[in-house]
């Protein structure tokens, strides 16, 4: 569904939107949909790389695995007096051949460096994002922090095994989301914190592993579905993990 129709239907009007890691992949597709909406949204994107601002996007350089970089980032937000209504964390890792990070077929292939890197990018970034960004939300009635995750992080839905580091880092990401949501609900019941599974999507993250997939989305299809799920969230949904169709994924 077109974003303007979703906005009309859901009555949710986030103005300032921050996308983490959106210079590429699903995050970039989300940014394109937001820009093309009639809602006159302000889009902010973080990336490890330096990107030039455009008329519609303000870029910040952020190595989101580094706490020191978050401290620098919030100083900029203080200086520029920016608060967000919606934050979507699209940062994630599955493989990085250059650094010998390859999803394991067996526990025999388990490798400490690969495990730590998965946890750093998939789990730690989510925790640091929640830690630093909860004070940078507007006072609107509904504000949302959504973090992209994967169905593979569901412990109860794990029937085939494999990819142990990625699965473990995503399961831990779910625990961070659930635990933080319980705490934050006590002081701010307007804030919704969720995890979102985008489906199998053709990006550089999934490219080497698409052969066995039964259904593959392009980035725009997945981004549209994710935005529809996000805009339809209500305050009682905080702490949950959803797939691209809005169905809850069990922990
Ligand atoms: N594609 C799929 O089929 C699929 C399926 C299930 C779940 N997901 C999840 O969806 C999310 C987005 O995935 P995607 O497919 O869009 O992947 P992608 O195209 O590889 O984009 C992921 C983003 O993460 C950032 N990133 C990658 N490695 C990093 C590192 N070492 N340190 C810090 N940032 C790093 C990059 O941002 P910068 O380079 O701009 O900093 C990159 O733009 C991930 O959490 C992934 O697990 C994807």
């Amino acid at each position: 569904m077109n974003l303007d129709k979703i906005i009309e239907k859901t009555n949710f009007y986030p103005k300032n939107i921050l996308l983490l890691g959106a210079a590429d992949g699903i995050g970039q597709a989300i940014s394109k949909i937001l820009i093309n909406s009639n809602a006159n949204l302000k889009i902010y994107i973080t990336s490890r790389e330096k990107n030039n601002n455009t008329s519609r996007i303000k870029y910040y350089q952020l190595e989101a695995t580094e706490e020191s970089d978050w401290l620098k980032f919030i100083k900029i937000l203080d200086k520029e007096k920016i608060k967000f209504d919606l934050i979507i964390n699209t940062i994630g890792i599955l493989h990085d051949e250059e650094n010998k990070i390859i999803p394991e077929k067996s526990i025999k292939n388990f490798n400490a460096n690969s495990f730590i890197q998965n946890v750093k990018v998939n789990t730690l970034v989510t925790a640091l994002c929640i830690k630093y960004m909860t004070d940078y939300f507007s006072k609107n009635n509904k504000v949302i922090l959504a973090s992209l995750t994967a169905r593979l992080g569901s412990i109860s839905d794990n029937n085939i095994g494999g990819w142990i580091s990625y699965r473990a880092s995503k399961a831990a990401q779910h625990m961070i989301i659930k635990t933080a949501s319980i705490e934050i609900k006590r002081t701010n019941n307007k804030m919704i914190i969720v995890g979102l599974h985008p489906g199998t999507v053709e990006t550089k993250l999934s490219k080497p592993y698409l052969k066995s997939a039964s259904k593959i989305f392009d980035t725009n299809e997945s981004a549209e579905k994710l935005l529809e799920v996000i805009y339809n969230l209500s305050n009682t949904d905080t702490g949950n993990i959803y797939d691209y169709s809005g169905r809850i994924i069990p922990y």
Side-chain angles (χ1 to χ4, degrees):
M1 196 193 283
N2 165 293
L3 184 64
D4 293 312
K5 285 207 178 114
I6 296 173
I7 292 174
E8 207 183 301
K9 196 178 128 225
T10 58
N11 236 346
F12 178 47
Y13 299 97
K15 270 274 166 218
N16 283 357
I17 303 180
L18 174 67
L19 306 173
L20 302 174
D24 204 354
I26 301 165
Q28 188 185 57
I30 291 175
S31 75
K32 285 184 183 158
I33 294 174
L34 294 173
I35 287 166
N36 288 327
S37 121
N38 293 323
N40 197 22
L41 306 167
K42 286 196 173 157
I43 317 293
Y44 303 84
I45 290 182
T46 75
S47 169
R48 286 168 297 172
E49 307 301 324
K50 205 168 169 41
N51 291 279
N52 292 328
N53 293 337
T54 68
S55 59
R56 295 301 313 279
I57 301 177
K58 181 146 194 185
Y59 285 96
Y60 298 99
Q61 203 171 2
L62 174 76
E63 177 42 91
T65 57
E66 294 297 331
E67 197 141 16
S68 55
D69 258 39
W70 281 99
L71 289 167
K72 281 188 215 149
F73 182 49
I74 60 171
K75 270 197 181 147
I76 298 171
L77 296 180
D78 285 336
K79 201 169 150 213
E80 298 184 358
K81 296 192 170 42
I82 300 174
K83 299 270 177 180
F84 303 107
D85 306 302
L86 168 62
I87 297 179
I88 309 175
N89 166 26
T90 74
I91 292 171
I93 193 173
L94 170 62
H95 63 97
D96 174 1
E97 285 70 12
E98 236 174 71
N99 292 306
K100 299 194 168 61
I101 298 166
I102 296 161
E104 313 88 340
K105 286 193 176 140
S106 157
I107 186 72
K108 298 286 180 203
N109 307 125
F110 184 87
N111 162 290
N113 174 53
S114 184
F115 175 72
I116 290 165
Q117 200 54 25
N118 269 276
V119 170
K120 222 173 155 181
V121 181
N122 295 327
T123 318
L124 176 67
V125 165
T126 301
L128 292 177
C129 176
I130 299 172
K131 173 179 173 182
Y132 285 105
M133 288 298 98
T134 44
D135 291 337
Y136 290 86
F137 275 100
S138 72
K139 300 257 176 277
N140 279 357
N141 260 345
K142 182 166 109 174
V143 291
I144 299 174
L145 195 165
S147 206
L148 295 199
T149 173
R151 191 186 297 282
L152 292 187
S154 168
I155 292 175
S156 48
D157 190 44
N158 182 359
N159 300 308
I160 55 168
W163 294 14
I164 192 165
S165 294
Y166 184 71
R167 280 186 188 275
S169 69
K170 292 291 187 185
Q173 188 185 352
H174 297 174
M175 181 58 91
I176 301 268
I177 289 166
K178 175 68 179 171
T179 304
S181 76
I182 292 170
E183 179 191 330
I184 287 162
K185 194 160 59 176
R186 291 189 193 119
T187 51
N188 182 357
N189 63 8
K190 291 171 180 164
M191 185 175 298
I192 302 165
I193 302 182
V194 293
L196 296 176
H197 167 63
T200 301
V201 188
E202 194 169 351
T203 64
K204 69 175 187 302
L205 179 140
S206 63
K207 210 158 196 155
Y209 309 101
L210 290 176
K211 261 187 241 146
S212 55
S214 53
K215 187 174 171 55
I216 301 167
F217 294 127
D218 65 38
T219 52
N220 180 61
E221 275 176 292
S222 171
E224 273 187 355
K225 287 175 191 295
L226 292 173
L227 284 168
E228 189 162 2
V229 175
I230 289 172
Y231 274 67
N232 273 293
L233 288 169
S234 62
N235 299 62
T236 50
D237 296 329
T238 194
N240 290 337
I241 312 299
Y242 293 92
D243 74 6
Y244 53 85
S245 65
R247 272 192 295 261
I248 287 185
I249 295 178
Y251 301 113

